[in-house]
Amino acid sequence: MDNLISKLRNLDAYPKINEDFYSRTLSGGVITIASSLIMLLLFISELRLYLHAVTETKLIVDTSRGEHLKINFDITFPALACSMISVDAMDISGEQHLDVRHDIIKNRLDPHGNVIAARKDGIGSPKIENPLQKHGGRLEHNETYCGSCYGADTADDHCCNTCEDVREAYKKKGWALSDPDSIDQCKREGFLQRIKEEDGEGCNLYGFLEVNKVAGNFHFAPGKSFQQSNIHVHDIKTFQKDSFNISHKINKLSFGDDFPGVMNPLDGVQWTQHTSSAMYQYFIKVVPTVYTDVSEHTIQSNQFSVTEHFTGSEVGLFRAVPGVFFIYDLSPIKVTFTEQHISFLHFLTNVCAIVGGIFTVSGILDSFVYHGQKVIKKKMEIGKFS
């Protein structure tokens, strides 16, 4: 024990002047060890801060013009078949993208969520080998087949050789295809039979949309969409069903490219429908974001906040389109994140401040302890300490 006390006394970095010699104390050795450990911890913390980049955040007014917004999505409908779902996007500028198919993959799912098949095209049927002849007339020698569009022809030579061609022609006219069995192409291709065979299946859709950087909405809804008297409608009667289950899970939803630290509040969100018909809406506030890393590589992206609203009603009273709607608006404020390293001079200044500050405070503390011990010892010697 005496050896340990002696070693601690030799570590005293604050020797005391006693006339013509220095005096090392036990308390000084303890304070020296404690202050050295604190110096080391603070030095390591400052070194880590110097070696790792810090992110500076700023808010500025978004003055960008004429840009596009990339919307990435991955959403699963466990009780809605892929042949029923269409994807539409529209904005306040009047631009519309109806029944979007490009850059979107649809995976058919069985009731257990396993992938049955994947296809890139949207609602549609394969072309038949022998399309119908125009107006049902007899086929003459070397005459080509040309299916009727049933009044939706845009020109004399307009042919509708598949059920999908007829549906497209009807969409352009603003008509709903309410009875597919009355269309020879749909009857031959077994359109309704295929819908019945897919009953009970689910669908996973993933891909992206490129839209104008203005307020708008995109949605997933059953039936092909079209404009009728300047109103956006879906031909849900085509499927001859009274209700649609739009229960869904959002695996991923983002606006723009991902960047370090981004949080997408709708990732993993799940909703289950408990009524016969429903429309679920997400109101999204998109905040433009610019992220610049230490190598000065810039990522133009977005963050967003969201609120939700559900509308449900019994069959026969439900007037809104059943589906999942994402209504987004853009914030006029842009957030910028800039990664940067602390300068070496700043690091050196902080290290000197750490060493000098702790050394000074430790010296004051040691002096207080030393003189306090002397006062107590002197009083004990003269018998005044009680």
Short mmCIF file of all heavy atoms in Angstrom, two decimals, residues 79-87 106 119 123 167 195-196 198-200 203 221-224 234-236 239 241 243-244:
data_model
loop_
_atom_site.label_atom_id
_atom_site.label_comp_id
_atom_site.label_asym_id
_atom_site.label_seq_id
_atom_site.Cartn_x
_atom_site.Cartn_y
_atom_site.Cartn_z
N ALA A 79 -55.46 -8.12 -52.19
CA ALA A 79 -56.78 -8.62 -52.57
C ALA A 79 -57.31 -7.98 -53.85
O ALA A 79 -58.52 -7.97 -54.08
CB ALA A 79 -57.77 -8.40 -51.42
N LEU A 80 -56.42 -7.46 -54.68
CA LEU A 80 -56.83 -6.82 -55.93
C LEU A 80 -55.93 -7.34 -57.04
O LEU A 80 -54.70 -7.20 -56.97
CB LEU A 80 -56.73 -5.31 -55.81
CG LEU A 80 -57.56 -4.46 -56.78
CD1 LEU A 80 -59.05 -4.76 -56.62
CD2 LEU A 80 -57.30 -2.97 -56.57
N ALA A 81 -56.52 -7.95 -58.07
CA ALA A 81 -55.75 -8.57 -59.15
C ALA A 81 -55.08 -7.52 -60.03
O ALA A 81 -55.59 -6.40 -60.19
CB ALA A 81 -56.66 -9.46 -60.00
N CYS A 82 -53.95 -7.90 -60.61
CA CYS A 82 -53.20 -6.97 -61.45
C CYS A 82 -54.00 -6.54 -62.68
O CYS A 82 -53.84 -5.42 -63.17
CB CYS A 82 -51.89 -7.62 -61.91
SG CYS A 82 -50.65 -7.78 -60.60
N SER A 83 -54.85 -7.43 -63.20
CA SER A 83 -55.62 -7.10 -64.40
C SER A 83 -56.64 -6.00 -64.15
O SER A 83 -57.19 -5.44 -65.09
CB SER A 83 -56.33 -8.34 -64.92
OG SER A 83 -57.17 -8.89 -63.92
N MET A 84 -56.89 -5.68 -62.87
CA MET A 84 -57.87 -4.65 -62.54
C MET A 84 -57.25 -3.29 -62.30
O MET A 84 -57.90 -2.26 -62.48
CB MET A 84 -58.65 -5.05 -61.28
CG MET A 84 -59.49 -6.30 -61.42
SD MET A 84 -60.43 -6.59 -59.90
CE MET A 84 -61.29 -8.10 -60.34
N ILE A 85 -55.97 -3.26 -61.89
CA ILE A 85 -55.39 -2.01 -61.40
C ILE A 85 -54.80 -1.19 -62.55
O ILE A 85 -54.08 -1.72 -63.40
CB ILE A 85 -54.27 -2.30 -60.37
CG1 ILE A 85 -54.82 -3.16 -59.23
CG2 ILE A 85 -53.70 -1.01 -59.82
CD1 ILE A 85 -53.76 -3.60 -58.25
N SER A 86 -55.12 0.08 -62.54
CA SER A 86 -54.47 1.03 -63.46
C SER A 86 -53.83 2.14 -62.65
O SER A 86 -54.25 2.44 -61.53
CB SER A 86 -55.48 1.61 -64.45
OG SER A 86 -56.44 2.40 -63.78
N VAL A 87 -52.79 2.73 -63.21
CA VAL A 87 -52.03 3.80 -62.54
C VAL A 87 -52.20 5.07 -63.35
O VAL A 87 -51.92 5.10 -64.55
CB VAL A 87 -50.54 3.43 -62.43
CG1 VAL A 87 -49.78 4.52 -61.66
CG2 VAL A 87 -50.35 2.08 -61.78
N LYS A 106 -45.66 -5.25 -62.83
CA LYS A 106 -46.75 -5.81 -62.04
C LYS A 106 -46.46 -7.28 -61.76
O LYS A 106 -46.21 -8.06 -62.68
CB LYS A 106 -48.08 -5.70 -62.78
CG LYS A 106 -48.62 -4.27 -62.90
CD LYS A 106 -49.99 -4.28 -63.55
CE LYS A 106 -50.57 -2.87 -63.61
NZ LYS A 106 -51.92 -2.86 -64.22
N ARG A 119 -45.25 -9.11 -65.18
CA ARG A 119 -45.40 -8.59 -66.53
C ARG A 119 -45.18 -7.09 -66.53
O ARG A 119 -45.47 -6.41 -65.55
CB ARG A 119 -46.77 -8.93 -67.10
CG ARG A 119 -47.95 -8.34 -66.34
CD ARG A 119 -49.25 -8.83 -66.95
NE ARG A 119 -50.41 -8.21 -66.30
CZ ARG A 119 -51.67 -8.56 -66.56
NH1 ARG A 119 -51.91 -9.52 -67.43
NH2 ARG A 119 -52.67 -7.95 -65.96
N ILE A 123 -52.85 -3.33 -67.89
CA ILE A 123 -54.05 -4.09 -68.22
C ILE A 123 -54.04 -4.37 -69.71
O ILE A 123 -53.82 -3.50 -70.52
CB ILE A 123 -55.31 -3.30 -67.83
CG1 ILE A 123 -55.29 -2.99 -66.34
CG2 ILE A 123 -56.56 -4.05 -68.20
CD1 ILE A 123 -56.41 -2.11 -65.90
N ARG A 167 -61.06 -1.38 -75.78
CA ARG A 167 -61.08 -0.60 -74.54
C ARG A 167 -60.35 0.72 -74.72
O ARG A 167 -60.78 1.77 -74.20
CB ARG A 167 -60.46 -1.40 -73.41
CG ARG A 167 -61.24 -2.66 -73.05
CD ARG A 167 -60.59 -3.39 -71.90
NE ARG A 167 -60.77 -2.66 -70.67
CZ ARG A 167 -60.03 -2.86 -69.58
NH1 ARG A 167 -59.03 -3.73 -69.61
NH2 ARG A 167 -60.25 -2.17 -68.48
N ILE A 195 -60.72 -12.68 -65.71
CA ILE A 195 -60.93 -11.90 -64.49
C ILE A 195 -61.40 -12.81 -63.35
O ILE A 195 -60.93 -12.70 -62.20
CB ILE A 195 -61.96 -10.78 -64.73
CG1 ILE A 195 -61.42 -9.75 -65.73
CG2 ILE A 195 -62.32 -10.09 -63.42
CD1 ILE A 195 -60.20 -9.02 -65.29
N LYS A 196 -62.29 -13.75 -63.67
CA LYS A 196 -62.80 -14.67 -62.65
C LYS A 196 -61.70 -15.61 -62.17
O LYS A 196 -61.64 -15.96 -61.00
CB LYS A 196 -63.97 -15.46 -63.22
CG LYS A 196 -65.22 -14.61 -63.47
CD LYS A 196 -66.35 -15.44 -64.07
CE LYS A 196 -67.57 -14.57 -64.35
NZ LYS A 196 -68.67 -15.35 -64.99
N GLU A 198 -58.60 -14.91 -61.95
CA GLU A 198 -57.66 -14.16 -61.11
C GLU A 198 -58.29 -13.67 -59.82
O GLU A 198 -57.63 -13.00 -59.02
CB GLU A 198 -57.09 -12.98 -61.89
CG GLU A 198 -56.24 -13.38 -63.08
CD GLU A 198 -55.70 -12.19 -63.84
OE1 GLU A 198 -55.95 -11.05 -63.39
OE2 GLU A 198 -55.03 -12.38 -64.87
N ASP A 199 -59.56 -13.99 -59.61
CA ASP A 199 -60.25 -13.56 -58.39
C ASP A 199 -59.55 -14.18 -57.17
O ASP A 199 -59.28 -15.38 -57.14
CB ASP A 199 -61.71 -14.00 -58.43
CG ASP A 199 -62.51 -13.38 -57.30
OD1 ASP A 199 -62.15 -12.28 -56.87
OD2 ASP A 199 -63.48 -14.01 -56.85
N GLY A 200 -59.26 -13.38 -56.19
CA GLY A 200 -58.55 -13.84 -55.00
C GLY A 200 -57.05 -13.60 -55.07
O GLY A 200 -56.35 -13.77 -54.06
N CYS A 203 -51.63 -8.19 -56.05
CA CYS A 203 -50.74 -7.59 -57.05
C CYS A 203 -49.72 -6.70 -56.35
O CYS A 203 -50.04 -5.96 -55.41
CB CYS A 203 -51.55 -6.75 -58.04
SG CYS A 203 -50.57 -6.11 -59.43
N ALA A 221 -56.14 2.56 -58.97
CA ALA A 221 -57.58 2.32 -58.90
C ALA A 221 -57.97 1.23 -59.90
O ALA A 221 -57.31 1.05 -60.92
CB ALA A 221 -58.35 3.61 -59.18
N PRO A 222 -59.06 0.50 -59.62
CA PRO A 222 -59.52 -0.52 -60.56
C PRO A 222 -60.16 0.09 -61.79
O PRO A 222 -60.80 1.14 -61.72
CB PRO A 222 -60.54 -1.31 -59.74
CG PRO A 222 -61.01 -0.36 -58.68
CD PRO A 222 -59.85 0.52 -58.37
N GLY A 223 -59.96 -0.55 -62.94
CA GLY A 223 -60.59 -0.10 -64.18
C GLY A 223 -59.75 0.87 -64.97
O GLY A 223 -58.89 1.57 -64.43
N LYS A 224 -60.02 0.91 -66.26
CA LYS A 224 -59.33 1.85 -67.14
C LYS A 224 -59.94 3.24 -66.97
O LYS A 224 -61.14 3.41 -66.89
CB LYS A 224 -59.46 1.38 -68.60
CG LYS A 224 -58.62 2.20 -69.57
CD LYS A 224 -58.75 1.65 -70.98
CE LYS A 224 -58.06 0.31 -71.10
NZ LYS A 224 -56.59 0.43 -70.97
N HIS A 234 -63.44 5.93 -63.90
CA HIS A 234 -62.88 4.61 -64.20
C HIS A 234 -64.01 3.67 -64.59
O HIS A 234 -65.09 3.71 -63.98
CB HIS A 234 -62.14 4.05 -62.98
CG HIS A 234 -60.82 4.69 -62.72
ND1 HIS A 234 -59.63 4.02 -62.89
CD2 HIS A 234 -60.50 5.94 -62.32
CE1 HIS A 234 -58.63 4.82 -62.59
NE2 HIS A 234 -59.13 6.00 -62.23
N ASP A 235 -63.76 2.82 -65.58
CA ASP A 235 -64.82 1.91 -66.03
C ASP A 235 -64.82 0.65 -65.19
O ASP A 235 -64.57 -0.46 -65.67
CB ASP A 235 -64.65 1.58 -67.52
CG ASP A 235 -63.34 0.86 -67.83
OD1 ASP A 235 -62.45 0.89 -66.97
OD2 ASP A 235 -63.24 0.26 -68.91
N ILE A 236 -65.17 0.81 -63.92
CA ILE A 236 -65.16 -0.33 -62.99
C ILE A 236 -66.30 -1.31 -63.30
O ILE A 236 -66.24 -2.47 -62.89
CB ILE A 236 -65.26 0.15 -61.53
CG1 ILE A 236 -66.50 1.02 -61.32
CG2 ILE A 236 -64.01 0.93 -61.14
CD1 ILE A 236 -66.68 1.48 -59.87
N PHE A 239 -65.68 -4.95 -64.92
CA PHE A 239 -65.38 -6.17 -64.19
C PHE A 239 -66.61 -6.81 -63.57
O PHE A 239 -66.52 -7.89 -62.97
CB PHE A 239 -64.35 -5.87 -63.10
CG PHE A 239 -63.11 -5.21 -63.62
CD1 PHE A 239 -62.83 -3.88 -63.32
CD2 PHE A 239 -62.23 -5.89 -64.44
CE1 PHE A 239 -61.69 -3.26 -63.80
CE2 PHE A 239 -61.09 -5.28 -64.93
CZ PHE A 239 -60.82 -3.97 -64.62
N LYS A 241 -68.34 -6.21 -60.90
CA LYS A 241 -68.22 -6.44 -59.47
C LYS A 241 -68.82 -5.27 -58.72
O LYS A 241 -68.80 -4.14 -59.19
CB LYS A 241 -66.75 -6.61 -59.06
CG LYS A 241 -66.08 -7.87 -59.61
CD LYS A 241 -64.68 -8.02 -59.07
CE LYS A 241 -64.67 -8.23 -57.59
NZ LYS A 241 -63.34 -8.53 -57.04
N SER A 243 -67.94 -4.50 -55.45
CA SER A 243 -67.01 -3.92 -54.48
C SER A 243 -65.59 -4.33 -54.81
O SER A 243 -65.36 -5.35 -55.48
CB SER A 243 -67.37 -4.36 -53.05
OG SER A 243 -67.25 -5.77 -52.93
N PHE A 244 -64.65 -3.52 -54.33
CA PHE A 244 -63.22 -3.76 -54.55
C PHE A 244 -62.49 -3.57 -53.22
O PHE A 244 -62.69 -2.56 -52.53
CB PHE A 244 -62.66 -2.81 -55.60
CG PHE A 244 -63.30 -2.96 -56.96
CD1 PHE A 244 -64.42 -2.22 -57.28
CD2 PHE A 244 -62.78 -3.83 -57.89
CE1 PHE A 244 -65.02 -2.35 -58.52
CE2 PHE A 244 -63.36 -3.97 -59.14
CZ PHE A 244 -64.49 -3.23 -59.45
#
